[in-house]
């Protein structure tokens, strides 16, 4: 399988997800909608697995390929959070974000299949990148939930536990991604931390979420605390996508 | 509870004043003395600092410990760390990581962390294990990566096939020139490269661009590979690898519009032999790219001063560990490619790596505890 098959899988999966979402809203029995969404997840995963086999290495090297995983993980996160907390809007939001990333990949595919350079042939490569993308998906969901929570802050705080949960889980994945990256860097480059631009920004992002976690524990006013999440998410997006465009980042060892 | 809130707030102001004073002192030092000299922290200074920090774990619970462990102080310190690292990430070519304000805030963070851990240890129970994994883990890692890294050193060593070498040049920021004898020696038994197949493309001579323009197509030079590039079909009839010679492919090119057919050898060339292209017309030809390395490795025996001996294979991503040394495959003679007669290693000495790794593993366990417990309290 290769990228030219993507369009069919993408549209089929998106259709399953959207139909599933409509069913969740329209029909009393929710299980049909859930089955549709699950089927879409399965189909999308089949494409990724096929691409992996077709290329002979995991599709994790280019920005386009990481977007592919993000499209999948945001749906999985949305789906499981929906199953647990029953927020249909979160499911809908996940599908929207996933669709955006799918369309970016269709219109601007930065997906040139290239050979994997020796330093990337490591057992840490796959867990490092997938865990990071999983955490981006969680923290993206946390940001949206934070906006929703801000809107109803005057009347109630029922969304706060959801926000905190998403931040804790997302931050847990973020730390795991960073720490596995450190072990890998020691194996590949001789140093577990070298303040490479991408590392600097990963550090900034992690610090921003630590500030949120600790200022929540202190009980500072929610009004201000919740604003930390969109700010932290902007820093996260800079880490992920923006770093390569920064003047301070010329000569980074990270290729995406 | 109103009184409680007021007291909390005045304490936060105290902490803000103290940290501001520290930052100003840091800036003053920066402008008078220049950047912090990290070598100052090298053994034994870092061990003494470690002992000083450790005493915080044993002092009695009281005013001092409560103040040092303040949660508001943590938030302020983390915010300052965020601002300083933002500067680091935005301004090109800065030396923020060895600036006085950053070093002082880093030290304050270590003290704050140690104090809060000290408090939690005094009331230890199973419920505090997640807290301790996260905070003791991050403390150990920050210490090893900060003060510990002053003991680190890196060297490059070039070893010829069949020879033994113990001299190396220093690498890194403040490296001194010249070769230095190290307490480890490397004997290179064999160096080997595994390559991806080279690729073929149709090149426009006048511009050097590969066709189709803008979305160049490269096909791997493997037997019976066939591809349509622009208006031609390109087939690889056979491929030949000979020792010392560059890879060569016998290629057939057929026009899709008329009966033009070209056949011939194409090779990327190497130090021993010129490259060869196959002309399609005045402006177009088939050319081969240099093969990209898939992996390269060195079979070595490492000797230490104390008479120990270890043999193994060193590859990219797979260093050889001997005591506090790790030996990495760095490079080889790229002009000679697969015939390289030497291999260059990077040797990294870091006695604090094991503590750092312990911190990292504790933090991974701590991260898992975050999933488990979640943030809802
Ligand atoms: C990996 C990094 C970290 C994680 C995951 C983390 C997480 C947490 C969590 C979950 C708690 C609440 C613990 C409980 O009540 O059981 C906590 C408390 C605390 N943390 Fe951290 N933390 C981290 C790093 C830090 C750092 C770097 C500092 C110091 C600058 C710090 C200072 C504190 C303090 C002072 C408390 C007590 C908070 C209070 O009661 O207000 N933590 N942390």
């Amino acid at each position: 399988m290769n990228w030219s098959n993507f369009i069919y899988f993408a549209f089929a999966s998106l259709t399953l997800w959207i139909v599933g979402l409509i069913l969740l809203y329209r029909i009393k029995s929710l299980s049909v909608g859930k089955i549709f969404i699950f089927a879409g997840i399965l189909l999308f995963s089949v494409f990724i697995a096929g691409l992996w086999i077709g290329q002979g290495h995991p599709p994790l090297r280019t920005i386009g390929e990481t977007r592919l995983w993000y499209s999948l993980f945001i749906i999985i996160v949305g789906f499981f959070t929906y199953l647990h907390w029953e927020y249909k809007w979160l499911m809908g939001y996940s599908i929207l974000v996933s669709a955006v990333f799918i369309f970016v990949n269709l219109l601007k595919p930065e997906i040139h299949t290239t050979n994997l350079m020796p330093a990337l042939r490591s057992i840490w490569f796959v867990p490092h990148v997938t865990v990071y993308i999983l955490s981006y998906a969680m923290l993206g969901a946390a940001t949206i939930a934070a906006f929703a929570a801000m809107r109803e802050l005057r009347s109630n705080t029922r969304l706060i536990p959801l926000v905190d949960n998403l931040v804790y889980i997302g931050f847990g994945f973020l730390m795991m991604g960073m720490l596995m990256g450190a072990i890998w860097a020691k194996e590949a480059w001789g140093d577990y931390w070298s303040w490479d631009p991408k590392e600097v920004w990963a550090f900034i992002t992690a610090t921003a979420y630590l500030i949120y976690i600790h200022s929540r524990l202190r009980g500072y006013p929610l009004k201000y605390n919740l604003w930390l999440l969109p700010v932290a998410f902007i820093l996260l997006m800079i880490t992920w996508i923006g770093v390569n465009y920064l003047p301070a980042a010329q000569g980074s060892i990270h290729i995406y | 509870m109103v009184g409680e809130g007021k007291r909390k707030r005045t304490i936060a102001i105290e902490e803000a004043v103290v940290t501001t004073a520290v930052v100003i002192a840091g800036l003053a030092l920066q402008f008078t003395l220049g950047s912090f000299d990290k070598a100052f922290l090298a053994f034994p200074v870092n061990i003494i600092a470690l002992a000083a920090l450790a005493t915080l774990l044993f002092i009695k619970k009281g005013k001092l410990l409560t103040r040092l462990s303040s949660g508001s102080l943590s938030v302020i310190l983390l915010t300052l760390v965020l601002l300083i690292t933002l500067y680091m990430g935005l301004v090109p070519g800065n030396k923020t990581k060895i600036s006085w304000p950053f070093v002082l805030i880093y030290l304050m963070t270590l003290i704050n962390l140690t104090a809060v851990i000290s408090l939690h240890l005094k009331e230890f129970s199973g419920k505090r294990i997640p807290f301790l994994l996260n905070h003791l883990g991050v403390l150990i890692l920050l210490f090893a990566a900060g003060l510990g890294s002053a003991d680190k050193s890196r060297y490059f060593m070039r070893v010829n096939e069949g020879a033994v070498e113990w001299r190396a040049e220093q690498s890194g920021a403040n490296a001194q020139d010249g070769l230095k004898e190290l307490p480890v020696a490397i004997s290179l038994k064999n160096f080997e490269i595994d390559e991806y197949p080279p690729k073929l493309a149709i090149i426009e001579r006048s511009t050097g661009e590969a066709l189709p323009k803008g979305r160049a197509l490269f096909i791997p030079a493997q037997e019976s590979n066939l591809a349509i590039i622009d208006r031609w079909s390109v087939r690889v009839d056979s491929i030949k690898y000979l020792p010392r010679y560059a890879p060569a492919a016998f290629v057939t090119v057929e026009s899709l519009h008329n009966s033009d057919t070209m056949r011939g050898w194409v090779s990327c060339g190497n130090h021993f032999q010129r490259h060869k292209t196959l002309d399609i017309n005045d402006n177009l030809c088939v050319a081969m790219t240099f093969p990209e390395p898939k992996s390269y490795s060195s079979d070595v025996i490492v000797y230490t001063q104390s008479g120990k001996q270890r043999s193994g294979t060193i590859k990219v991503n797979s260093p050889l560990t001997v005591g506090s040394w790790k030996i990495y495959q760095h490079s080889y003679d790229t002009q000679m490619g697969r015939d390289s007669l030497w291999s260059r290693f990077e040797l990294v000495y870091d006695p604090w790596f094991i503590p750092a790794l312990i911190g990292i593993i504790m933090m991974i366990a701590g991260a898992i505890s975050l999933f488990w417990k979640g943030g809802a309290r």
Side-chain angles (χ1 to χ4, degrees):
Chain A
M1 203 163 321
N2 61 42
W3 274 100
S4 58
N5 308 111
F6 178 56
I7 188 158
Y8 309 110
F9 281 87
F11 276 112
S13 303
L14 261 182
T15 310
L16 285 169
W17 291 331
I18 292 169
V19 171
L21 182 69
I22 293 171
L23 291 174
L24 288 186
Y25 272 102
R26 283 292 159 84
I27 296 189
K28 285 272 175 316
S29 150
L30 297 173
S31 38
V32 189
K34 289 179 192 166
I35 289 170
F36 267 76
I37 292 173
F38 187 71
I41 292 175
L42 223 55
L43 192 64
F44 206 91
S45 313
V46 166
F47 173 73
I48 295 186
L51 192 64
W52 187 324
I53 295 165
Q55 288 183 185
H57 65 76
L60 286 168
R61 194 190 165 184
T62 61
I63 285 262
E65 289 169 349
T66 60
R67 273 199 296 256
L68 187 66
W69 290 93
Y70 194 86
S71 308
L72 177 66
F73 283 151
I74 189 88
I75 297 284
I76 294 178
V77 170
F79 188 52
F80 278 95
T81 325
Y82 162 72
L83 290 182
H84 186 14
W85 300 82
E86 300 188 343
Y87 295 120
K88 291 175 193 161
W89 57 269
L90 194 70
M91 192 66 245
Y93 149 74
S94 308
I95 294 172
L96 184 70
V97 175
S98 178
V100 169
F101 279 89
I102 286 173
F103 279 106
V104 174
N105 258 1
L106 286 171
L107 299 175
K108 190 172 175 288
E110 296 162 79
I111 47 161
H112 314 289
T113 40
T114 35
N115 292 331
L116 220 47
M117 60 189 258
L120 292 184
R121 301 166 70 80
S122 155
I123 55 157
W124 294 107
F125 179 46
V126 175
H128 169 67
V129 182
T130 45
V131 160
Y132 252 124
I133 294 167
L134 198 52
S135 102
Y136 293 175
M138 287 280 179
L139 295 170
T143 312
I144 295 297
F147 279 123
M150 279 185 234
R151 227 184 22 231
E152 53 182 45
L153 208 52
R154 268 170 212 279
S155 54
N156 67 66
T157 55
R158 75 193 163 95
L159 281 177
I160 300 300
L162 170 72
V163 174
D164 282 351
N165 251 329
L166 287 172
V167 170
Y168 270 63
I169 299 170
F171 182 77
F173 280 123
L174 192 75
M175 288 318 284
M176 288 177 74
M178 194 154 139
L179 296 165
M180 289 195 285
I183 297 178
W184 177 18
K186 178 70 187 173
E187 290 299 291
W189 287 282
D191 231 332
Y192 49 90
W193 197 262
S194 52
W195 294 109
D196 166 88
K198 194 99 177 178
E199 293 170 3
V200 172
W201 281 91
F203 188 92
I204 292 171
T205 307
T207 310
Y209 283 104
L210 270 187
I211 295 173
Y212 174 82
I213 288 174
H214 290 88
S215 72
R216 281 282 300 125
L217 290 167
R218 291 268 85 201
Y220 294 145
L222 275 172
K223 204 167 51 173
Y224 305 121
N225 260 343
L226 285 175
W227 273 106
L228 287 172
L229 292 179
V231 172
F233 196 69
I234 290 171
L235 297 173
L236 187 156
M237 294 311 272
I238 295 176
T239 309
W240 184 18
I241 299 169
V243 167
N244 295 347
Y245 304 103
L246 292 174
Q250 302 314 319
S252 164
I253 53 168
H254 284 85
I255 43 172
Y256 63 79
Chain B
M1 277 294 133
V2 178
E4 166 81 11
K6 208 168 184 182
R7 205 182 61 98
K8 245 189 191 167
R9 203 164 306 149
T10 49
I11 291 181
I13 288 169
E14 250 175 55
E15 287 138 350
V17 170
V18 172
T19 41
T20 313
V22 169
V23 172
I24 291 173
L27 287 172
L29 285 167
Q30 184 70 29
F31 289 118
T32 51
L33 300 180
S35 287
F36 179 78
D37 180 12
K38 199 167 176 187
F40 168 73
L41 292 174
F43 179 86
V45 172
N46 46 20
I47 292 290
I48 296 168
L50 180 63
L53 261 188
T55 58
L56 281 182
L57 296 176
F58 300 106
I59 63 173
K60 275 218 296 283
K61 195 171 166 176
K63 231 179 178 163
L64 177 67
L65 208 53
T66 315
R67 289 212 167 168
L68 291 180
S69 68
S70 145
S72 308
L73 180 60
S74 307
V75 174
I76 294 173
L77 288 173
L78 287 170
T79 309
L80 283 169
V81 168
L82 181 79
L83 295 175
I84 299 173
T85 45
L86 266 177
Y87 181 87
M88 200 189 284
L90 288 172
V91 180
N94 63 75
K95 287 192 185 162
T96 319
K97 63 180 175 186
I98 49 166
S99 72
W100 281 95
F102 185 61
V103 172
L104 294 180
I105 292 301
Y106 198 103
L107 287 176
M108 274 183 90
T109 309
L110 294 182
I111 293 170
N112 180 228
L113 261 172
T114 314
V116 70
I117 290 166
S118 174
L119 278 186
H120 279 253
L121 280 177
K122 290 186 174 41
E123 284 151 32
F124 181 80
S125 72
K127 273 205 329 228
R128 312 227 167 189
I129 289 176
F131 174 91
L132 287 173
L133 284 173
N134 274 317
H135 293 85
L136 207 51
V138 81
L139 175 65
I140 295 172
L141 179 60
L142 287 178
F143 195 94
L147 285 81
S149 66
D151 290 336
K152 202 158 53 184
S153 52
R154 304 174 75 121
Y155 302 89
F156 284 127
M157 184 184 272
R158 198 184 113 168
V159 190
N160 292 328
E161 228 165 8
V164 182
E165 184 62 84
W166 64 94
R167 290 160 309 167
E169 51 180 332
Q170 252 184 328
S171 73
N174 28 19
Q176 288 150 2
D177 279 346
L179 291 175
K180 195 182 147 182
E181 281 186 26
L182 297 187
V184 287
I186 301 177
S187 134
L188 179 61
K189 290 193 294 187
N190 186 28
F191 175 75
E192 233 176 63
I193 298 190
D194 189 12
E195 288 170 331
Y196 285 109
K199 289 176 186 165
L200 296 168
I202 298 183
I203 308 282
E204 192 179 71
R205 281 191 201 280
S206 53
T207 59
E209 244 185 292
L211 298 188
K213 284 191 181 176
R215 337 184 270 113
L217 189 63
F218 289 86
I219 62 167
Q222 276 163 315
E223 203 158 304
S224 71
N225 244 3
L226 174 74
I228 309 287
I229 303 180
D230 234 32
R231 290 177 290 125
W232 285 274
S233 84
V234 178
R235 193 178 66 229
V236 183
D237 293 322
S238 66
I239 173 122
K240 202 164 63 178
Y241 287 97
L242 291 175
R244 280 168 69 81
Y245 288 88
F250 193 80
V251 176
T252 305
V253 181
E254 285 174 58
S255 166
L256 299 182
H257 291 287
N258 52 40
S259 57
D260 281 0
T261 304
M262 278 72 56
R263 282 201 179 81
W265 288 100
V266 179
S267 171
C268 56
N270 64 8
H271 59 99
F272 183 68
Q273 174 203 358
R274 272 178 59 82
H275 73 273
K276 190 169 172 357
T277 56
L278 172 64
D279 288 342
I280 295 176
N281 56 34
D282 289 348
N283 194 22
L284 298 177
C285 66
V286 179
M288 183 186 275
T289 62
F290 288 111
E292 291 174 53
K294 190 173 189 171
S295 70
Y296 37 100
S297 60
S298 305
D299 271 338
V300 297
I301 305 177
V302 179
Y303 306 91
T304 67
Q305 232 165 14
S306 52
K308 262 190 279 181
Q309 195 187 103
R310 268 203 72 178
S311 59
T313 305
I314 301 178
K315 286 194 273 211
V316 176
N317 265 325
S318 163
L320 191 70
T321 309
V322 183
S324 290
W325 290 88
K326 275 184 187 278
I327 304 170
Y328 297 82
Q329 178 69 54
H330 184 265
S331 55
Y332 56 93
D333 188 345
T334 45
Q335 296 253 298
M336 300 277 280
R338 58 168 68 223
D339 299 324
S340 174
L341 294 174
W342 52 261
S343 179
R344 196 164 137 98
F345 300 100
E346 181 158 31
L347 293 88
V348 180
Y349 174 72
D350 183 2
W352 290 84
F353 178 61
I354 294 295
L357 191 60
I358 291 172
I360 288 174
I361 291 168
M362 288 174 76
M363 284 177 76
I364 290 180
I368 291 168
S369 80
L370 291 180
F371 308 144
W372 190 42
K373 218 173 69 161
R377 322 174 91 202

